[in-house]
Amino acid sequence: MAASSERSPPPFPESEEQELEHDLEEDEEDSEEGADIFTGGTLSDSAMDPPLPVSSSEPPKDIFSEPPADTFKDPLNKTSAEKAASGGLSKAQAAVPVKVAADEELDDLFSDSLGESGAAPVTDAKIAPLLDLGEEPQKSDVIKKGAGKDDASTEVLSAPQNDVIKKDIFEEPPKGAAKDLPTDIKDGNAAGKKPASTDLFGDDDDEDLFKEPLGAMTKKPQGSLFTEAKSEAKAARPEQSNSAAADLFTEEAFTVTPVVAAAKSSVNTSSKTNGLHSDEEDLFAEATVELSLDSPHNDRRKREAAKPSAPAPSLSASASTSKPQPKTLEELEEEEKEDTFDLNISVTNPEKVGDGMNAYMAYKVSTQTSLSMFRSKQFTVRRRFSDFLGLYEKLSEKHAQNGYIVPPPPEKSILGMTKVKVGKEDPSSAEFVERRRAALERYLHRVVSHPSLLQDPDVREFLEKEELPRAVSTQALSGAGFLKMINKATDAVSKMTIKMNESDVWFEEKLQEVESEDQQLRKLHAMVESLVNHRKELSVNTAMFAKSVAMLGSSEDNTALSRALSQLAEVEDRIEQLHQDQASNDFFIFAELLADYIRLLGAVRACFDQRMKAWQRWQDAQNMLQKKRETEAKLLWANKPDKLQQAKDEIVEWEAKVSQYEREFERVSATVRKEVIRFEKEKSRDFKKQIIRYLESLLQSQQQLIKYWEAFLPEAKAIA
Amino acid sequence: MIISGLFKFSCLYKKVNFVLFFVVDQLRSVSVDLNNDSSLLIDIPDALCERDKVKFTVHTKTTLNSFQKPDFSVSRQHEDFIWLHDTLVETEEYAGLIIPPAPPKPDFESPREKMHKLGEGEATMTKEEYTKMKQELEAEYLAVFKKTVQVHEIFLQRLSSHPNLSKDRNFQIFLEYDQDLSVRRKNAKEMFGGFFKNMVKSADEVLISGIKDVDEFFEQEKTFLLDYFSKIKDSTAKAEKMTRSHKNVADDYIHISATLNSIAADDNTALKQHLEKFAELLEKLRKVEGRVASDQELKLTELLRYYMRDIQAAKDLLYRRARALADYENSNKALDKARLKSKDVAQAEENQKQCLLKFDKLSESGKKELTSFKGRRVVAFRKNLIEMAELEIKHAKQCVILHSTCIDLMDSSFIFAVVQVRGRR
């Protein structure tokens, strides 16, 4: 708990209870009995749905004392969880006066804490101490295992270490839950404490939970991310999880479809009660819709979902008893967060570092946030351009293949940068720097406004860490750059060779749309660029005219006319400034928006390509399987039993691969679809915002124009 | 390509003729202030454009009895105007007057060039864009045409309003003779001669500019006009450039608007209507911006250009006077020499007297002319500047209205869309 309070700024009292409940939830996941017991215990009479049969008839006390202990013992013993457990638990010992030397003791500890915490809801007085007991071990586990994890427990899920942790967790059900727990809690704290997991994990229990007013609070946008991250790790899971867990999961997997509806309804109810959920939720809703299309990805997610949902009931129970007031506060916070997206990043202060060709521009990246995944509310780092490129490389490496649209950074400009390096105080290089600064800022905004990318540890590291290892592969002329070029070329060739017979009209249409839009935008961009140039020209010409008129005025011998002419010169001077400002508005508001979207459309196309690649893999696997089957048939016919077995094995292997690739393809498709929809929404909003901004700038300059000419009019009339 | 370009261009000409009647009326004499003497009223109600030749219908209404009829029209070409101007300049009598500057040759080069470019770019443009560009070009062509007619008209009006020049025989012939004047175009020799004459004149100008003037007024006037001429010439060029780039901006709006429209056509999200509105706005804006540019051109550039030429005419007057002065001084010297030699004294005396007389006459009328020129210039500048400021304000206000309505529309439609989405949910 100590650790968690460090991380999450406002230690909400509820978090404890949540953790507690999450403890409970583990039980449910791990074993059906456990789940039954707890739900039965906490929500003594609430109706339980099929997967978790209600065992309210049993006396709660018994249940707590016995079954949980068993279940925990089993998984722990079976799986080689010792390393994880001992690590985590030994830490826990420091805080909790329990000696853990052997597995049995470990089990004891768990069973104790669990038993007690299970009992907690029944007896309020006990809660606090129990919590400590139950939580600390788990928390420390997490800390121990994922070195970087306590920084950002949620994001870590996708990191390599994470997988290890994940595995541990899965090997050892209690711990897995424990791990989920801290993350949940943290998220919960950050976002005004909505146990994210709950809504995703919409399961029958959830529904019950949500029906209760308090349940509403268990909603959290990050939840979706969380599940996604998890689902990745999940792939390894079934093999590693112990038999009991496996059973559970398989069962749940089968029950997914009915659950979908339930999950959905739970989402609805919760959103009604809370009334503060925006896009993320929409996404989620979409995801659930897709779920019913039985994409394996989502199924997995669903399975996952079953887990955290369990704790909900107890949570709600305890929360209801403890505090209704904090919740409204939380709700407010949440609202704020979702409305303004409480992460404010600005790129400022471009500064030239070094001299000559080794010089580079460093930018100040300041972040202001109340998201608890960051260590503090406000921090500033210095980054150079290649760091931004490096961030993109890392992100696209990780996420692009899954069909995410990774926002591309501004292009490298050797010419522009060389100018900056060589040139002293040149307006064009100043403009270049400003343009790049603005582009970088927009780039970062796009990255963090993407729910999945925000969770990436690299993003956080980029924003937070003082020193970043130098991004090496970003130099245009480096070996890595060369390799990249070759890769791109081969990609392009393979793209041409792949003939995908599109099964989904939606994708086909969208791709076409994207392509034609790309062309149109390019055209428009060229037009706007020429507008910018013409306006700049106009401004230059106006300035020259102003000077010339001033001269004319000075040689005019009629005093009034001379005065009027010099006034006219002044007016023209101001108008020149106006044109110049408008030209930069044209550029920064309009042209840059288009340039950004041209790049983004490239990213969108890339994610369509990823989908195509996934499809290709699937097809290849299918062909392979076909071949294997043929060989089998041949062997059968040739009557070679010795090789037959091998062929059969291979078939099995390839069947697995086919289904895996198919799932993958479907997962990528689902992601792409979701991403494209998200992109379109974002685009719509962006364009609208920028157009209005642009119009406002035009409006303003026209208003200025009126002012200038109105001031001039009496001067003209004064000519006698 | 060239052929088709030319063909289109001649189509354009025909179209222009239709519009001309009301157009010319609308833009009567902007650059000069003329005294309203109703005894001789001249206007050009119509003009016909054939290839490069423009035929102006010159209409005269008069109460003077030196004309045979009180109301008549003749058809004149640009060359006839030049002839009239040249004869006036060459008339000794008018040496002391500022001869109104000859109208510039009709210049359709810039719209023609644009037309050519448009023809080339036809393939890369959407139909809509092309039509709009063509419209824009037609408008520009029309503006050039209007301007041409206008300057010719002004030339005649200034002649008619001048007490001396209006009585000129050649001028009256120009107005009245109902046949073709069949002015010979200058042949190559004459062209060269004219060029040579100009060279001599400017060399002479340099030579006699060294002579110190006895009259303070003319001395001042000379330095002023020289200075002013170079300045106004510069301003004219700059103003021309400015208006041209303004037109380019307006043209860019057309392209952007058209492209936005085609993007909007492909789009089917909520963005569609925003893009459409934006495109619509830009379309309106380009009209306004185009007006701003052409108004600037008309009120400012034309004013400057006209006075540049007028000052040139005034400078010519000064030159003639200076020449006369030089002649007088030479005749003085000749007289002295004759007296010294006691030979041909009477003739030299006569010559000297003549020169002095001429010079005095020139000085006198020149002074009057220059003073009135100054007044005229100030009045014209005042009028044009006021008009321009008013037009600028008018256009800017129109833009403001366009912008704010568009912003309002977008905002409200956005809210509406949100409400819709919420409702659906």
Side-chain angles (χ1 to χ4, degrees), chain A residues 94-299:
Chain A
V96 186
V98 180
K99 265 274 167 245
V100 183
D103 288 348
E104 290 103 323
E105 279 174 53
L106 241 174
D107 297 345
D108 285 354
L109 174 67
F110 273 103
S111 56
D112 271 356
S113 61
L114 285 165
E116 278 163 329
S117 57
V122 187
T123 55
D124 279 352
K126 265 189 187 169
I127 291 179
L130 290 175
L131 270 176
D132 288 348
L133 193 67
E135 272 165 289
E136 231 117 33
Q138 288 140 1
K139 193 115 265 182
S140 47
D141 257 4
V142 175
I143 297 160
K144 250 274 158 88
K145 279 294 125 141
K149 196 178 173 187
D150 61 348
D151 291 339
S153 35
T154 40
E155 283 150 277
V156 174
L157 293 182
S158 53
Q161 306 160 298
N162 249 341
D163 285 358
V164 181
I165 300 158
K166 257 286 116 106
K167 272 168 212 155
D168 291 342
I169 291 151
F170 295 132
E171 281 159 8
E172 192 192 37
K175 222 176 255 159
K179 193 242 175 114
D180 293 346
L181 245 185
T183 55
D184 288 351
I185 290 155
K186 225 163 283 151
D187 289 353
N189 284 345
K193 200 170 294 168
K194 316 143 248 169
S197 26
T198 40
D199 48 45
L200 318 164
F201 306 121
D203 160 86
D204 320 36
D205 289 37
D206 258 348
E207 224 178 336
D208 294 348
L209 166 71
F210 289 128
K211 271 169 200 153
E212 295 173 12
L214 287 166
M217 147 189 125
T218 56
K219 169 129 295 207
K220 177 179 19 168
Q222 279 126 325
S224 58
L225 313 168
F226 179 54
T227 38
E228 269 161 32
K230 243 184 187 171
S231 60
E232 279 169 35
K234 207 79 206 219
R237 190 181 175 169
E239 293 96 78
Q240 272 151 359
S241 55
N242 60 36
S243 57
D247 286 353
L248 172 69
F249 288 129
T250 45
E251 265 178 49
E252 272 170 7
F254 286 120
T255 55
V256 159
T257 12
V259 165
V260 171
K264 234 185 180 173
S265 68
S266 72
V267 169
N268 289 344
T269 52
S270 62
S271 63
K272 258 176 235 151
T273 47
N274 262 357
L276 336 145
H277 304 286
S278 57
D279 286 1
E280 276 113 324
E281 235 169 41
D282 289 354
L283 285 179
F284 178 65
E286 277 156 24
T288 50
V289 175
E290 282 156 20
L291 241 152
S292 50
L293 305 173
D294 88 352
S295 96
H297 172 59
N298 286 321
D299 283 3

Side-chain angles (χ1 to χ4, degrees), chain B residues 36-174:
Chain B
N36 288 325
D37 182 7
S38 61
S39 64
L40 183 62
L41 291 175
I42 302 168
D43 63 340
I44 302 181
D46 185 17
L48 202 83
C49 199
E50 283 169 359
R51 287 282 161 210
D52 265 354
K53 285 206 177 70
V54 185
K55 281 190 173 166
F56 302 94
T57 308
V58 179
H59 172 245
T60 314
K61 230 177 163 178
T62 180
T63 55
L64 299 176
N65 31 13
S66 53
F67 295 99
Q68 283 166 350
K69 282 182 281 180
D71 198 325
F72 47 87
S73 318
V74 288
S75 171
R76 291 288 175 261
Q77 292 186 22
H78 172 72
E79 282 71 25
D80 302 330
F81 286 82
I82 300 298
W83 165 81
L84 180 60
H85 177 257
D86 288 351
T87 51
L88 289 176
V89 168
E90 279 156 20
T91 313
E92 196 72 5
E93 259 180 84
Y94 306 137
L97 305 178
I98 297 176
I99 311 289
K105 200 175 178 324
D107 178 22
F108 298 115
E109 213 38 64
S110 105
R112 185 168 309 170
E113 203 178 286
K114 269 196 176 171
M115 192 61 171
H116 194 70
K117 239 190 248 167
L118 183 66
E120 275 172 350
E122 195 177 346
T124 61
M125 272 180 261
T126 61
K127 209 175 163 207
E128 183 193 14
E129 218 174 333
Y130 180 77
T131 343
K132 277 187 197 158
M133 282 305 280
K134 218 175 122 200
Q135 276 171 10
E136 194 61 22
L137 204 59
E138 281 166 4
E140 195 182 329
Y141 177 79
L142 200 65
V144 173
F145 200 93
K146 270 167 5 190
K147 240 166 46 193
T148 312
V149 172
Q150 200 193 325
V151 288
H152 284 81
E153 199 182 42
I154 287 167
F155 173 66
L156 295 180
Q157 283 170 343
R158 268 194 66 187
L159 287 179
S160 75
S161 66
H162 197 281
N164 297 0
L165 295 174
S166 62
K167 312 229 165 36
D168 183 69
R169 190 63 210 136
N170 283 326
F171 179 48
Q172 294 195 347
I173 289 170
F174 175 90

Side-chain angles (χ1 to χ4, degrees), chain B residues 236-254:
Chain B
T236 311
K238 299 286 159 61
E240 230 169 272
K241 258 182 154 177
M242 185 173 74
T243 40
R244 207 179 309 137
S245 42
H246 212 126
K247 269 189 199 127
N248 284 337
V249 170
D251 282 353
D252 284 332
Y253 280 153
I254 299 179

Side-chain angles (χ1 to χ4, degrees), chain A residues 552-564:
Chain A
L552 186 67
S554 71
S555 52
E556 170 66 57
D557 59 356
N558 182 303
T559 355
L561 182 54
S562 165
R563 226 177 92 100

